[in-house]
Amino acid sequence: MYIPAARLLLIITLCISCVKINADTYKNLPNVSVGVLKYGTVNWEMAVIKHYQLDKKYNFNLQVMPLSNKNASAVALQSKAVDIILSDWLWVNRQRFNNKNYTLVATSIASGGLYVNGKSSAKSLHDLTQAKIGIAGGSVDKNWLLLQAYAQKKYQLNIKDKAEIVFATPPLLNRLMQRNELDAAINFWHYSARLSANGYRLLVSVPQMLAELGITNNVPLLGWVFEQEWAIKNNQKLTGFLQASNEAKQILLLCDDEWQRIRPLTKAENDNVFIALKNEYRTRLLHKFGTEEMKASKQVFTILAEQGGRNLVGKATSLAEGTFWQTAKSNPSFSKKVAQNTTKHSVTCPIK
């Protein structure tokens, strides 16, 4: 179809103007800076937000600051180098007892457990006395503390005295398991997923530990952490960020094609590991946080404080008011969509 030169020029000019208007609009959006571990799994969510411009959709510019470790994340938040980090509510609670009013929106649940070789003859924790057990995260690792409480309650067993405990970094722990130099291990979730993909099995899961300890509701673990005063002053920015975060999680929960796009970020060694990482990520998502989840958190605090002492909880004697931000509210749109099917993920992918 022939288009006169003058009309074509007008169309091109209008298109350029639209692009400039959009660029100027995005430039004027407020920034939200988020500190994330350089190689952490949270980068998967950040990549989804950036790819689909969910920050622009919810009226802010996402700035991601890669950080080397958990301590660096805490320092970045405390020095106001970033607005938000991903951390656990025990850290937040500890800070509140030091008169630092950080608060958290919970995003994931406690998961994982104690893994053994698929060919291991062990059927219960009783079978691991005199065994060598590896722990990632140090002596106050939450799952390790829960395992100790579980062993005491169910078997009247002091597992620390009955087994040889080896503390190691997550990658080293997996290597030791693969070389059969450990009989069992508690590792971070994405390393445990790799063990599972390679034939290792859960001897006792965190939900089993919690159930034995009288806790049957989902227990939040990690979440978005920020300063309470910042949240009050920047409620619109915070709301936009949480909406973008929830939509990104919804995409990762429901869209298998999106996982293929971000697969390089997962650093999955093979298809089995990739599938295990995807499934475990989806299982760990927290879909609501209300009265029951708060009650479970208080129960877990009591257990962990008893097991970990001041090294874990600091001056805290209870779960402080305000540790969880707007605890009575969950995200209705996210909860409603995922509630239809949280295991088979058959709900329509929102980006198709």
Side-chain angles (χ1 to χ4, degrees):
M1 179 178 67
Y2 172 74
I3 301 177
R7 187 176 180 185
L8 181 60
L9 179 61
L10 177 61
I11 291 172
I12 293 172
T13 302
L14 288 173
C15 288
I16 292 173
S17 298
C18 288
V19 169
K20 186 177 185 303
I21 289 170
N22 284 336
D24 290 342
T25 300
Y26 292 160
K27 184 178 179 180
N28 293 329
L29 290 176
N31 295 325
V32 175
S33 56
V34 181
V36 301
L37 298 187
K38 189 173 182 181
Y39 300 110
T41 58
V42 67
N43 287 286
W44 307 348
E45 182 181 318
M46 296 297 99
V48 174
I49 291 175
K50 282 293 191 181
H51 182 75
Y52 294 102
Q53 295 193 316
L54 299 179
D55 53 343
K56 309 299 186 291
K57 177 179 177 179
Y58 293 107
N59 301 311
F60 71 96
N61 282 316
L62 175 64
Q63 295 183 325
V64 178
M65 179 184 288
L67 298 165
S68 58
N69 54 47
K70 186 176 180 180
N71 288 339
S73 295
V75 170
L77 183 65
Q78 292 167 333
S79 65
K80 301 186 189 299
V82 297
D83 301 316
I84 300 171
I85 63 171
L86 189 74
S87 191
D88 63 81
W89 58 263
L90 280 161
W91 181 84
V92 173
N93 193 66
R94 181 172 179 150
Q95 298 307 308
R96 293 187 78 86
F97 274 83
N98 289 328
N99 298 314
K100 297 177 181 177
N101 287 331
Y102 296 110
T103 185
L104 173 146
V105 172
T107 60
S108 63
I109 62 174
S111 64
L114 183 69
Y115 278 82
V116 296
N117 192 297
K119 296 179 181 179
S120 170
S121 61
K123 292 182 172 59
S124 75
L125 207 53
H126 249 315
D127 299 324
L128 290 181
T129 55
Q130 310 306 316
K132 187 181 287 189
I133 301 176
I135 309 293
S139 61
V140 291
D141 176 80
K142 287 82 173 173
N143 287 357
W144 166 229
L145 297 176
L146 287 175
L147 182 70
Q148 292 176 62
Y150 167 84
Q152 291 166 5
K153 176 77 182 297
K154 189 172 179 66
Y155 301 109
Q156 295 75 55
L157 175 67
N158 188 331
I159 193 68
K160 284 195 298 184
D161 293 340
K162 295 296 183 179
E164 180 183 348
I165 307 304
V166 177
F167 297 106
T169 62
L172 176 58
L173 210 59
N174 271 19
R175 287 197 293 272
L176 293 174
M177 284 290 283
Q178 289 161 359
R179 295 202 298 253
N180 292 319
E181 294 179 28
L182 292 174
D183 299 295
I186 291 177
N187 211 331
F188 297 165
W189 79 265
H190 44 299
Y191 288 95
S192 292
R194 285 173 160 83
L195 289 178
S196 176
N198 285 291
Y200 292 78
R201 63 180 172 87
L202 265 173
L203 184 69
V204 56
S205 69
V206 167
Q208 286 175 307
M209 298 178 205
L210 291 171
E212 181 65 31
L213 296 167
I215 303 168
T216 55
N217 292 299
N218 283 333
V219 177
L221 177 62
L222 299 176
W224 295 119
V225 177
F226 41 87
E227 196 173 39
Q228 186 170 301
E229 185 179 353
W230 176 86
I232 293 170
K233 289 181 179 178
N234 298 277
N235 187 258
Q236 190 171 352
K237 288 202 295 186
L238 174 61
T239 299
F241 171 76
L242 294 177
Q243 287 174 319
S245 173
N246 279 338
E247 187 162 334
K249 289 184 180 71
Q250 192 169 289
I251 289 170
L252 289 172
L253 177 72
L254 305 174
C255 305
D256 285 337
D257 288 348
E258 183 61 14
W259 281 91
Q260 292 299 329
R261 190 186 69 79
I262 68 163
R263 179 166 178 162
L265 293 178
T266 70
K267 302 188 185 303
E269 297 84 350
N270 53 56
D271 288 345
N272 287 341
V273 170
F274 176 65
I275 292 168
L277 289 170
K278 177 176 66 174
N279 290 342
E280 185 62 22
Y281 175 92
R282 288 169 163 175
T283 301
R284 295 177 69 254
L285 291 177
L286 178 71
H287 304 314
K288 75 179 186 72
F289 185 85
T291 305
E292 294 302 317
E293 289 74 25
M294 174 62 81
K295 178 183 176 183
S297 300
K298 290 179 178 178
Q299 291 174 292
V300 167
F301 174 85
T302 301
I303 295 166
L304 293 179
E306 181 180 345
Q307 296 294 328
R310 289 177 69 92
N311 286 339
L312 176 67
V313 302
K315 299 176 183 178
T317 55
S318 62
L319 185 58
E321 184 73 24
T323 293
F324 293 100
W325 177 252
Q326 297 178 332
T327 53
K329 297 181 180 180
S330 59
N331 185 301
S333 60
F334 184 61
S335 299
K336 184 178 180 181
K337 288 180 182 178
V338 300
Q340 297 175 58
N341 193 320
T342 58
T343 55
K344 295 181 181 178
H345 314 296
S346 60
V347 185
T348 303
C349 175
I351 59 174
K352 289 185 178 179

